[in-house]
Amino acid sequence: MQPIPAVRGTHDLLPDVSGAWAWLHAAHARVAEAHGYRLIDTPILEHTELFERAVGAGTDVVDKEMFTFVDRGGRSVTLRPEGTAGAVRAVLEHSLTQAHRPIRVHYAGPMFRYDRPQKGRQRQFSQVGVECMGERSPYLDAEVVEMAWRFVEALGITGVSLQLNSLGDAADRARYRGALVEHFTPMRDRLCADCRRRLELNPLRLLDCKRDAELMAEAPLIADSLSAESTRYVDTVIAALGATAIPVTRNPRLVRGLDYYAHTAFEIWHVSLEGAQNALGGGGRYDGLAAVLGYPETPGVGYAFGVERLLLVATSLGTIPAVAPVCHAVVCSVAEAQGQAAAAAARLLREAGLLIVTDAGDRRLPRKIAAADRLGAAAVVILGEDEAAQGAATVRDLRRRTEVRTPVDGLVPVVAAVLAANLSEP
Ligand code: HAM
């Protein structure tokens, strides 16, 4: 029978990488919590309509990339392609903005997009992100952008740039859509089939097209459609960021791939990531989103980062700290008869706060010692026939290759001494 592999575009998080994974999540939680964000966890499965309305028909995410299926009750449901729509739904469904305005939440979890898998792009990937809802102020936008930057800094990642643009308010975008239609209609025949559809359905999404990138470089800029008030808004965001020494690149062509943005839109790019995969993360303001989902008008701003992309870059830069030991000592029973005694010795050592792995397998002792070495253990505690008969254990220092025999009830200081000696030597 053929072995069953993982689904294409999905990845296993293996133990060798899980320390780095935990480090990254802890760093994000620290940055978020330092700014008053609290953890939220929403379902992976949502009504398809949530994303159709939030992310928008005509976006690649909704038109081409959603994992959508009909459940056994005949409802169309979708594996979330992003976290903002679900976070907004959860906050408003539970009326959280009544007690906290703004409410600040952070999240981490898997997202699903049926995209062509390649380096830095999976079908199941993970995001960490924040959403701040209930208030509209350019200083909140600046705070969210700064948090995103501080998070990347906390990971030790250098070589990043902050790209920022304004997508204005609904009236600005309506004006801009008109300008795009006016510009592209005469050259309709030169556009790809997708773009011809976008021209009718959702002209702003023309700018996401990779195939027609050359034509898009000539497109009108949204900055020319912004009202004086919208221009003032983005200028205030940039001025607030000026005080942080974060270098801001104003990118008039940045439109992001999701429909819900208004005013601030930003991305953090890394030099080593290429083409469509160059963004480590992105976000912006989404003041119209709540109403589109049928909830009372509620402004919001947030960001999300791709965990795998961040780890790719952090790994290549060597910024991931060495992980703490997972095992101080391995307790080996030489034969099944010593299993009980070995379990008791292990329990004693764990009660003293040590990380202890047991090895009750039927391999020969040299193999068990080699396996303990691979786990990074400093000591092996051996319970053979002789030892068990005497209520004793042999403690082997794996580094110095020395051994001492000790009564089991005196094990803790002996193992602790081996660990201390190991720690004091480089
Ligand atoms: P997004 O730009 O679609 O924004 O995704 C954010 C990040 O998720 C990307 O910059 C990238 O690092 C990662 N990502 C996206 N797709 C993939 C993929 N197929 N494989 C690997 N990584 C991927 C959002 O999702 C918005 N919800 C962000 C936001 C929050 N805006 C406001 N609040």
Side-chain angles (χ1 to χ4, degrees):
M1 219 188 295
Q2 283 283 338
I4 300 170
V7 170
R8 184 166 139 81
T10 69
H11 289 270
D12 300 304
L13 175 67
L14 300 175
D16 279 351
V17 187
S18 59
W21 183 271
W23 162 74
L24 183 146
H25 283 83
H28 187 254
R30 260 197 308 278
V31 171
E33 282 161 18
H35 292 78
Y37 286 73
R38 291 184 302 155
L39 185 68
I40 192 169
D41 190 38
T42 64
I44 288 165
L45 208 55
E46 297 271 6
H47 292 296
T48 301
E49 205 183 345
L50 181 82
F51 304 112
E52 284 173 349
R53 288 211 237 156
V55 176
T59 59
D60 280 352
V61 169
V62 166
D63 287 4
K64 302 180 185 168
E65 297 173 4
M66 294 212 298
F67 280 87
T68 294
F69 59 96
V70 176
D71 72 10
R72 288 170 193 274
R75 285 168 292 262
S76 178
V77 289
T78 293
L79 295 178
R80 63 182 182 195
E82 59 97 56
T84 307
V88 170
R89 179 204 49 72
V91 160
L92 297 175
E93 187 172 344
H94 299 284
S95 309
L96 301 188
T97 49
Q98 279 174 13
H100 303 276
R101 203 170 255 267
I103 174 128
R104 293 173 156 100
V105 294
H106 70 98
Y107 54 88
M111 309 290 162
F112 303 82
R113 296 185 192 178
Y114 196 89
D115 209 337
R116 200 162 56 79
Q118 53 189 282
K119 197 172 170 213
R121 196 200 278 168
Q122 296 101 242
R123 290 184 176 167
Q124 178 179 335
F125 59 101
S126 204
Q127 286 186 344
V128 289
V130 304
E131 311 295 347
C132 172
M133 282 169 252
E135 234 172 50
R136 178 169 177 270
S137 155
Y139 294 99
L140 281 177
D141 301 38
E143 184 180 279
V144 163
V145 173
E146 183 177 354
M147 278 173 67
W149 187 267
R150 299 290 172 228
F151 170 51
V152 173
E153 255 178 9
L155 299 180
I157 293 178
T158 51
V160 286
S161 70
L162 172 66
Q163 309 281 321
L164 190 141
N165 194 20
S166 170
L167 299 182
D169 61 15
D172 299 330
R173 283 191 304 285
R175 253 193 311 279
Y176 184 46
R177 271 194 290 275
L180 288 172
V181 171
E182 195 175 316
H183 177 85
F184 282 111
T185 303
M187 57 180 88
R188 198 178 177 282
D189 296 343
R190 290 166 58 199
L191 297 174
C192 70
D194 275 350
C195 280
R196 284 200 293 273
R197 220 163 34 84
R198 291 178 179 124
L199 188 60
E200 251 109 73
L201 187 68
N202 193 345
L204 210 74
R205 300 279 61 100
L206 283 163
L207 303 164
D208 302 333
C209 187
K210 301 288 170 294
R211 247 170 303 163
D212 289 339
E214 257 175 47
L215 290 179
M216 294 314 142
E218 307 282 299
L221 296 177
I222 189 156
D224 297 324
S225 298
L226 295 188
S227 67
E229 200 205 323
S230 296
T231 304
R232 227 181 359 260
Y233 191 95
V234 64
D235 287 346
T236 312
V237 176
I238 303 248
L241 286 169
T244 64
I246 297 170
V248 182
T249 306
R250 284 189 84 153
N251 181 343
R253 303 209 171 270
L254 184 80
V255 288
R256 309 266 299 125
L258 315 162
D259 266 358
Y260 47 64
Y261 292 111
H263 298 288
T264 310
F266 71 97
E267 285 181 353
I268 293 188
W269 293 356
H270 194 265
V271 282
S272 73
L273 299 171
E274 280 163 21
Q277 274 71 251
N278 64 352
L280 289 172
R285 175 158 286 284
Y286 46 84
D287 292 348
L289 177 54
V292 163
L293 299 181
Y295 289 101
E297 198 129 336
T298 311
V301 58
Y303 68 69
F305 280 90
V307 172
E308 290 83 355
R309 282 189 202 175
L310 288 168
L311 285 179
L312 215 61
V313 174
T315 303
S316 72
L317 293 175
T319 66
I320 300 173
V323 285
V326 290
C327 168
H328 290 133
V330 174
V331 176
C332 299
S333 41
V334 171
E336 204 178 305
Q338 293 92 48
Q340 240 348 350
R347 201 170 297 122
L348 194 76
L349 292 164
R350 288 193 195 106
E351 279 165 5
L354 299 178
L355 307 176
I356 302 298
V357 170
T358 54
D359 188 344
D362 53 11
R363 287 179 299 184
R364 290 186 43 247
L365 193 58
R367 295 228 160 183
K368 294 190 176 197
I369 291 173
D373 214 19
R374 281 198 299 278
L375 278 180
V380 173
V381 177
I382 303 160
L383 282 119
E385 206 174 331
D386 280 2
E387 286 93 340
Q390 297 167 16
T394 298
V395 177
R396 184 183 171 96
D397 181 330
L398 289 180
R399 189 117 168 234
R400 282 174 208 76
R401 298 168 185 275
T402 53
E403 280 186 4
V404 285
R405 189 172 282 200
T406 169
V408 168
D409 54 12
L411 254 182
V412 171
V414 176
V415 174
V418 173
L419 285 176
N422 265 265
L423 284 177
S424 65
E425 278 176 27

